[in-house]
Amino acid sequence: MIETKQRLKMSDLQIEQCRRQITHAKLTDKEISELPADVKTYESIGRMFILTPIDKVKKDLQHKVKAQEEKIKTLDVNKSYLENSMKESEDNIREFIQAKKAR
């Protein structure tokens, strides 16, 4: 049961992190959209920056948002499974305690 609680907390943290990354990507996309088409944009890869067309940067940001949204869906499904498992465990413990008291 303790392990399940820890997994639930971890799922919540991961979902929050994904939401922050989505917000960051959307803000970046909004700022890039305001730039003129001829502006040079650079994308960081490791320790270096590579000249990248604005269209590719926008596509990458949109792909990142979609990937994070899919991850959130997966985490939500896992979280609901953990919550159901936790509820079942609590119910089983209650039944066990009531059975002991009835004896």
Side-chain angles (χ1 to χ4, degrees):
M1 211 156 105
I2 293 172
E3 184 179 329
T4 306
K5 284 183 182 180
Q6 289 174 343
R7 286 184 181 178
L8 278 169
K9 286 181 184 178
M10 194 65 145
S11 292
D12 286 335
L13 291 173
Q14 288 175 339
I15 290 170
E16 187 60 35
Q17 182 181 15
C18 289
R19 288 192 178 131
R20 273 190 245 116
Q21 289 177 351
I22 288 172
T23 304
H24 184 266
K26 286 181 178 179
L27 285 172
T28 304
D29 188 37
K30 179 184 172 192
E31 291 297 320
I32 288 176
S33 296
E34 296 172 1
L35 295 174
D38 61 341
V39 172
K40 292 182 178 181
T41 55
Y42 295 86
E43 195 171 16
S44 68
I45 298 180
R47 292 184 179 185
M48 64 181 177
F49 293 90
I50 296 179
L51 181 63
T52 309
I54 289 179
D55 293 338
K56 181 163 181 350
V57 173
K58 287 182 182 180
K59 272 189 211 174
D60 289 346
L61 289 171
Q62 290 170 354
H63 178 71
K64 186 175 182 179
V65 168
K66 286 179 185 176
Q68 293 302 322
E69 287 172 346
E70 289 296 320
K71 187 173 181 181
I72 286 174
K73 286 179 187 177
T74 304
L75 289 168
D76 278 336
V77 169
N78 188 30
K79 183 179 171 185
S80 66
Y81 170 77
L82 289 171
E83 287 171 345
N84 289 338
S85 174
M86 180 88 141
K87 187 168 176 15
E88 268 185 43
S89 297
E90 288 173 353
D91 290 343
N92 289 339
I93 290 172
R94 281 192 190 104
E95 286 177 18
F96 181 74
I97 290 172
Q98 288 176 351
K100 283 287 191 179
K101 286 182 180 178
R103 287 186 184 175

